[in-house]
Amino acid sequence: LVDTFGRDVVQKECFDWYDGSHEAYSGTQLPAALIREATGERLRMSVSQLERYAACPYAYLTRYLLKLQERDVWSPRAADTGSVLHGVLELGIRALAEELSRAVSEEERGEVLARWAAMDYDAYALSCMKTVAERDGYGLFFDAGIRASSGRRVLRMGAATLRAAVGQLTDGQAVPVCTEWRFGENGQSPLRLRVQGTDILFRGVVDRIDTIGGTDGELFRVVDYKSGDVRFDPDKVYYGLSLQL
């Protein structure tokens, strides 16, 4: 064991550094001078510290004298998982939209949709996930330990979600025309609402916009990706608590 001052102390299973009165913890006493150096001339402690010492002197040593702390272990948060899934959908749907935009006939569009419907989504989602990890700083998802647990789960979710999103487009009625559309930023026109004589300018990002009836269709739909268990609650919408549904 090396103490907080960088000196070798002892290598024993247990320590009793005051008077050796605890028979259950036979070991080598730490020098009193060393303890005073760590605690100061006046030993300040709480009742919980006394209880910790009574339960396990070694635990008292590590926590209150050596002040050891557990090593931080990174684990993906829900927001990290959502961002990666969001990126996988963004890349996948954008690629599909580009292929559909190059199709010059309904037959070609049908071939594009059929090819995407039969795609190996596991392999494609993995490729997209690697791109997102490198682009947005989520490389830890590919750490050996993280990938063995959370990384694989996110990959399965990404493949399943992308498959479902493409499946919603295979009827050919809706066509994705825009992904990650920003408004009110970088010179883009904001959403302007006038309330009681005051203009309110909104900014934001739309995950995806589809048109209905071809790229020149008069109908459109706005798609917002949600990775959590979001349920429609009319009361929350009415009271402004869930404006994004």
Side-chain angles (χ1 to χ4, degrees):
L1 179 67
V2 178
D3 73 356
T4 54
F5 312 103
R7 296 186 291 254
D8 291 335
V9 184
V10 282
Q11 290 183 319
K12 293 288 185 179
E13 294 182 357
C14 299
F15 301 88
D16 190 355
W17 50 85
Y18 284 115
D19 57 9
S21 60
H22 295 274
E23 296 180 359
Y25 296 100
S26 60
T28 301
Q29 289 182 311
L30 295 179
L34 184 61
I35 301 302
R36 292 194 184 95
E37 191 175 347
T39 63
E41 290 299 324
R42 291 186 176 182
L43 184 60
R44 301 176 184 273
M45 62 171 48
S46 64
V47 175
S48 61
Q49 288 178 259
L50 291 175
E51 293 173 342
R52 176 59 63 91
Y53 180 79
C56 179
Y58 185 72
Y60 179 93
L61 168 69
T62 58
R63 178 171 180 178
Y64 295 109
L65 295 183
L66 299 182
K67 301 185 185 304
L68 302 183
Q69 297 180 355
E70 291 187 15
R71 184 183 63 180
D72 291 334
V73 178
W74 185 86
S75 60
R77 302 169 300 170
D80 298 327
T81 299
S83 295
V84 172
L85 292 174
H86 186 111
V88 170
L89 284 171
E90 172 199 346
L91 294 177
I93 297 300
R94 179 180 295 172
L96 173 58
E98 291 176 353
E99 288 194 37
L100 289 174
S101 67
R102 292 193 296 267
V104 296
S105 65
E106 290 298 322
E107 182 179 358
E108 287 188 9
R109 288 181 56 196
E111 292 175 354
V112 170
L113 292 172
R115 185 169 63 255
W116 274 76
M119 177 182 292
D120 181 351
Y121 283 98
D122 291 333
Y124 189 77
L126 177 59
S127 175
C128 291
M129 189 171 167
K130 288 181 178 179
T131 300
V132 173
E134 181 178 354
R135 182 191 68 184
D136 300 336
Y138 291 109
L140 281 174
F141 273 97
F142 289 94
D143 175 84
I146 299 297
R147 185 176 180 181
S149 55
S150 301
R152 289 181 180 178
R153 177 176 58 84
V154 173
L155 177 59
R156 289 195 301 268
M157 292 174 60
T161 304
L162 185 58
R163 183 184 294 108
V166 173
Q168 296 173 351
L169 300 169
T170 53
D171 59 5
Q173 296 299 314
V175 178
V177 294
C178 191
T179 60
E180 294 295 300
W181 180 69
R182 298 179 179 274
F183 59 93
E185 296 180 352
N186 300 324
Q188 299 293 330
S189 298
L191 173 62
R192 184 187 303 268
L193 296 180
R194 190 167 183 81
V195 180
Q196 297 180 351
T198 300
D199 284 338
I200 302 177
L201 307 180
F202 287 92
R203 67 179 185 276
V205 182
V206 177
D207 290 337
R208 194 178 95 213
I209 299 176
D210 298 342
T211 59
I212 309 298
T215 56
D216 298 325
E218 297 181 356
L219 301 178
F220 70 93
R221 67 182 178 189
V222 175
V223 180
D224 185 47
Y225 300 137
K226 297 295 184 184
S227 58
D229 184 16
V230 180
R231 300 178 184 274
F232 177 73
D233 187 331
D235 289 335
K236 288 185 177 181
V237 175
Y238 180 80
Y239 288 106
L241 301 176
S242 183
L243 297 178
Q244 298 184 90
L245 304 183

